[in-house]
mmCIF file of all heavy atoms in Angstrom:
data_model
loop_
_atom_site.group_PDB
_atom_site.id
_atom_site.type_symbol
_atom_site.label_atom_id
_atom_site.label_comp_id
_atom_site.label_asym_id
_atom_site.label_seq_id
_atom_site.Cartn_x
_atom_site.Cartn_y
_atom_site.Cartn_z
ATOM 1 N N ARG A 285 -8.548 -28.858 -13.794
ATOM 2 C CA ARG A 285 -7.208 -28.450 -13.353
ATOM 3 C C ARG A 285 -7.181 -26.965 -12.990
ATOM 4 O O ARG A 285 -6.605 -26.585 -11.966
ATOM 5 C CB ARG A 285 -6.192 -28.762 -14.440
ATOM 6 C CG ARG A 285 -4.765 -28.335 -14.134
ATOM 7 C CD ARG A 285 -4.220 -28.995 -12.899
ATOM 8 N NE ARG A 285 -2.789 -28.692 -12.744
ATOM 9 C CZ ARG A 285 -2.152 -28.701 -11.596
ATOM 10 N NH1 ARG A 285 -2.784 -28.997 -10.473
ATOM 11 N NH2 ARG A 285 -0.848 -28.429 -11.542
ATOM 12 N N SER A 286 -7.808 -26.115 -13.805
ATOM 13 C CA SER A 286 -7.829 -24.691 -13.464
ATOM 14 C C SER A 286 -8.652 -24.447 -12.207
ATOM 15 O O SER A 286 -8.341 -23.558 -11.402
ATOM 16 C CB SER A 286 -8.375 -23.856 -14.628
ATOM 17 O OG SER A 286 -9.718 -24.184 -14.939
ATOM 18 N N GLY A 287 -9.713 -25.257 -11.993
ATOM 19 C CA GLY A 287 -10.465 -25.156 -10.748
ATOM 20 C C GLY A 287 -9.598 -25.474 -9.545
ATOM 21 O O GLY A 287 -9.664 -24.812 -8.499
ATOM 22 N N GLN A 288 -8.753 -26.499 -9.688
ATOM 23 C CA GLN A 288 -7.835 -26.856 -8.608
ATOM 24 C C GLN A 288 -6.825 -25.742 -8.356
ATOM 25 O O GLN A 288 -6.544 -25.377 -7.203
ATOM 26 C CB GLN A 288 -7.117 -28.152 -8.967
ATOM 27 C CG GLN A 288 -6.123 -28.611 -7.903
ATOM 28 C CD GLN A 288 -5.303 -29.797 -8.368
ATOM 29 O OE1 GLN A 288 -5.085 -29.968 -9.562
ATOM 30 N NE2 GLN A 288 -4.848 -30.606 -7.438
ATOM 31 N N LEU A 289 -6.269 -25.185 -9.429
ATOM 32 C CA LEU A 289 -5.276 -24.123 -9.273
ATOM 33 C C LEU A 289 -5.888 -22.884 -8.614
ATOM 34 O O LEU A 289 -5.252 -22.236 -7.768
ATOM 35 C CB LEU A 289 -4.704 -23.756 -10.645
ATOM 36 C CG LEU A 289 -3.876 -24.842 -11.339
ATOM 37 C CD1 LEU A 289 -3.528 -24.419 -12.758
ATOM 38 C CD2 LEU A 289 -2.609 -25.159 -10.551
ATOM 39 N N ALA A 290 -7.117 -22.552 -8.984
ATOM 40 C CA ALA A 290 -7.786 -21.400 -8.372
ATOM 41 C C ALA A 290 -8.029 -21.643 -6.892
ATOM 42 O O ALA A 290 -7.849 -20.736 -6.059
ATOM 43 C CB ALA A 290 -9.098 -21.112 -9.093
ATOM 44 N N ALA A 291 -8.439 -22.855 -6.545
ATOM 45 C CA ALA A 291 -8.665 -23.173 -5.132
ATOM 46 C C ALA A 291 -7.372 -23.044 -4.335
ATOM 47 O O ALA A 291 -7.374 -22.536 -3.198
ATOM 48 C CB ALA A 291 -9.229 -24.581 -4.999
ATOM 49 N N ASN A 292 -6.261 -23.479 -4.918
ATOM 50 C CA ASN A 292 -4.972 -23.333 -4.236
ATOM 51 C C ASN A 292 -4.668 -21.862 -3.961
ATOM 52 O O ASN A 292 -4.226 -21.492 -2.862
ATOM 53 C CB ASN A 292 -3.852 -23.934 -5.087
ATOM 54 C CG ASN A 292 -3.930 -25.440 -5.202
ATOM 55 O OD1 ASN A 292 -4.617 -26.092 -4.422
ATOM 56 N ND2 ASN A 292 -3.224 -26.004 -6.173
ATOM 57 N N ALA A 293 -4.879 -21.006 -4.980
ATOM 58 C CA ALA A 293 -4.581 -19.582 -4.828
ATOM 59 C C ALA A 293 -5.498 -18.932 -3.803
ATOM 60 O O ALA A 293 -5.048 -18.161 -2.931
ATOM 61 C CB ALA A 293 -4.700 -18.888 -6.182
ATOM 62 N N ILE A 294 -6.796 -19.211 -3.866
ATOM 63 C CA ILE A 294 -7.753 -18.612 -2.941
ATOM 64 C C ILE A 294 -7.464 -19.054 -1.506
ATOM 65 O O ILE A 294 -7.542 -18.253 -0.561
ATOM 66 C CB ILE A 294 -9.191 -18.985 -3.351
ATOM 67 C CG1 ILE A 294 -9.549 -18.322 -4.674
ATOM 68 C CG2 ILE A 294 -10.183 -18.584 -2.265
ATOM 69 C CD1 ILE A 294 -9.528 -16.810 -4.648
ATOM 70 N N THR A 295 -7.104 -20.310 -1.333
ATOM 71 C CA THR A 295 -6.794 -20.815 0.006
ATOM 72 C C THR A 295 -5.614 -20.041 0.604
ATOM 73 O O THR A 295 -5.634 -19.656 1.785
ATOM 74 C CB THR A 295 -6.474 -22.315 -0.048
ATOM 75 O OG1 THR A 295 -7.618 -23.022 -0.539
ATOM 76 C CG2 THR A 295 -6.115 -22.845 1.328
ATOM 77 N N LYS A 296 -4.581 -19.813 -0.193
ATOM 78 C CA LYS A 296 -3.433 -19.047 0.294
ATOM 79 C C LYS A 296 -3.835 -17.626 0.694
ATOM 80 O O LYS A 296 -3.415 -17.112 1.739
ATOM 81 C CB LYS A 296 -2.347 -19.003 -0.787
ATOM 82 C CG LYS A 296 -1.696 -20.345 -1.066
ATOM 83 C CD LYS A 296 -0.715 -20.249 -2.232
ATOM 84 C CE LYS A 296 -0.101 -21.608 -2.540
ATOM 85 N NZ LYS A 296 0.810 -21.556 -3.707
ATOM 86 N N ILE A 297 -4.668 -16.998 -0.134
ATOM 87 C CA ILE A 297 -5.083 -15.620 0.145
ATOM 88 C C ILE A 297 -5.930 -15.553 1.414
ATOM 89 O O ILE A 297 -5.722 -14.697 2.279
ATOM 90 C CB ILE A 297 -5.835 -15.043 -1.064
ATOM 91 C CG1 ILE A 297 -4.873 -14.865 -2.252
ATOM 92 C CG2 ILE A 297 -6.512 -13.728 -0.708
ATOM 93 C CD1 ILE A 297 -5.559 -14.530 -3.552
ATOM 94 N N ILE A 298 -6.894 -16.463 1.545
ATOM 95 C CA ILE A 298 -7.769 -16.459 2.716
ATOM 96 C C ILE A 298 -6.966 -16.719 3.992
ATOM 97 O O ILE A 298 -7.271 -16.183 5.062
ATOM 98 C CB ILE A 298 -8.892 -17.508 2.555
ATOM 99 C CG1 ILE A 298 -9.791 -17.171 1.370
ATOM 100 C CG2 ILE A 298 -9.720 -17.626 3.837
ATOM 101 C CD1 ILE A 298 -10.513 -15.855 1.458
ATOM 102 N N ARG A 299 -5.925 -17.515 3.886
ATOM 103 C CA ARG A 299 -5.097 -17.825 5.058
ATOM 104 C C ARG A 299 -4.089 -16.729 5.382
ATOM 105 O O ARG A 299 -3.311 -16.855 6.329
ATOM 106 C CB ARG A 299 -4.378 -19.153 4.836
ATOM 107 C CG ARG A 299 -5.314 -20.365 4.875
ATOM 108 C CD ARG A 299 -4.568 -21.650 4.556
ATOM 109 N NE ARG A 299 -5.455 -22.811 4.675
ATOM 110 C CZ ARG A 299 -5.115 -24.046 4.312
ATOM 111 N NH1 ARG A 299 -3.905 -24.281 3.801
ATOM 112 N NH2 ARG A 299 -5.962 -25.048 4.457
ATOM 113 N N GLY A 300 -4.087 -15.654 4.585
ATOM 114 C CA GLY A 300 -3.237 -14.510 4.899
ATOM 115 C C GLY A 300 -1.884 -14.508 4.236
ATOM 116 O O GLY A 300 -1.041 -13.659 4.561
ATOM 117 N N GLU A 301 -1.635 -15.432 3.298
ATOM 118 C CA GLU A 301 -0.364 -15.415 2.582
ATOM 119 C C GLU A 301 -0.343 -14.253 1.589
ATOM 120 O O GLU A 301 -1.362 -13.611 1.322
ATOM 121 C CB GLU A 301 -0.133 -16.757 1.875
ATOM 122 C CG GLU A 301 -0.032 -17.939 2.824
ATOM 123 C CD GLU A 301 0.306 -19.229 2.116
ATOM 124 O OE1 GLU A 301 1.032 -19.180 1.099
ATOM 125 O OE2 GLU A 301 -0.148 -20.308 2.573
ATOM 126 N N ASP A 302 0.812 -13.975 1.030
ATOM 127 C CA ASP A 302 0.980 -12.831 0.131
ATOM 128 C C ASP A 302 0.023 -12.931 -1.063
ATOM 129 O O ASP A 302 0.114 -13.875 -1.860
ATOM 130 C CB ASP A 302 2.425 -12.773 -0.350
ATOM 131 C CG ASP A 302 2.708 -11.530 -1.171
ATOM 132 O OD1 ASP A 302 2.333 -11.517 -2.364
ATOM 133 O OD2 ASP A 302 3.293 -10.581 -0.618
ATOM 134 N N ARG A 303 -0.884 -11.968 -1.171
ATOM 135 C CA ARG A 303 -1.914 -11.997 -2.208
ATOM 136 C C ARG A 303 -1.309 -11.951 -3.604
ATOM 137 O O ARG A 303 -1.665 -12.742 -4.491
ATOM 138 C CB ARG A 303 -2.887 -10.836 -2.004
ATOM 139 C CG ARG A 303 -3.953 -10.713 -3.095
ATOM 140 C CD ARG A 303 -4.812 -9.480 -2.860
ATOM 141 N NE ARG A 303 -5.517 -9.585 -1.600
ATOM 142 C CZ ARG A 303 -6.722 -10.145 -1.452
ATOM 143 N NH1 ARG A 303 -7.339 -10.643 -2.517
ATOM 144 N NH2 ARG A 303 -7.303 -10.202 -0.281
ATOM 145 N N GLN A 304 -0.427 -11.000 -3.830
ATOM 146 C CA GLN A 304 0.125 -10.818 -5.174
ATOM 147 C C GLN A 304 0.942 -12.035 -5.602
ATOM 148 O O GLN A 304 0.912 -12.436 -6.759
ATOM 149 C CB GLN A 304 0.973 -9.545 -5.229
ATOM 150 C CG GLN A 304 0.176 -8.269 -5.001
ATOM 151 C CD GLN A 304 -1.013 -8.155 -5.949
ATOM 152 O OE1 GLN A 304 -0.904 -8.450 -7.151
ATOM 153 N NE2 GLN A 304 -2.147 -7.721 -5.424
ATOM 154 N N LEU A 305 1.652 -12.631 -4.649
ATOM 155 C CA LEU A 305 2.417 -13.835 -4.973
ATOM 156 C C LEU A 305 1.484 -14.980 -5.349
ATOM 157 O O LEU A 305 1.745 -15.725 -6.300
ATOM 158 C CB LEU A 305 3.286 -14.223 -3.775
ATOM 159 C CG LEU A 305 4.244 -15.408 -3.984
ATOM 160 C CD1 LEU A 305 5.241 -15.090 -5.095
ATOM 161 C CD2 LEU A 305 4.973 -15.741 -2.684
ATOM 162 N N ALA A 306 0.368 -15.123 -4.618
ATOM 163 C CA ALA A 306 -0.599 -16.178 -4.931
ATOM 164 C C ALA A 306 -1.238 -15.952 -6.291
ATOM 165 O O ALA A 306 -1.426 -16.905 -7.066
ATOM 166 C CB ALA A 306 -1.669 -16.238 -3.849
#
Side-chain angles (χ1 to χ4, degrees):
R285 178 60 173 155
S286 63
Q288 180 187 28
L289 294 172
N292 292 343
I294 292 298
T295 299
K296 292 175 182 177
I297 292 170
I298 297 299
R299 290 176 177 172
E301 298 185 32
D302 186 281
R303 176 184 298 271
Q304 295 306 317
L305 185 61

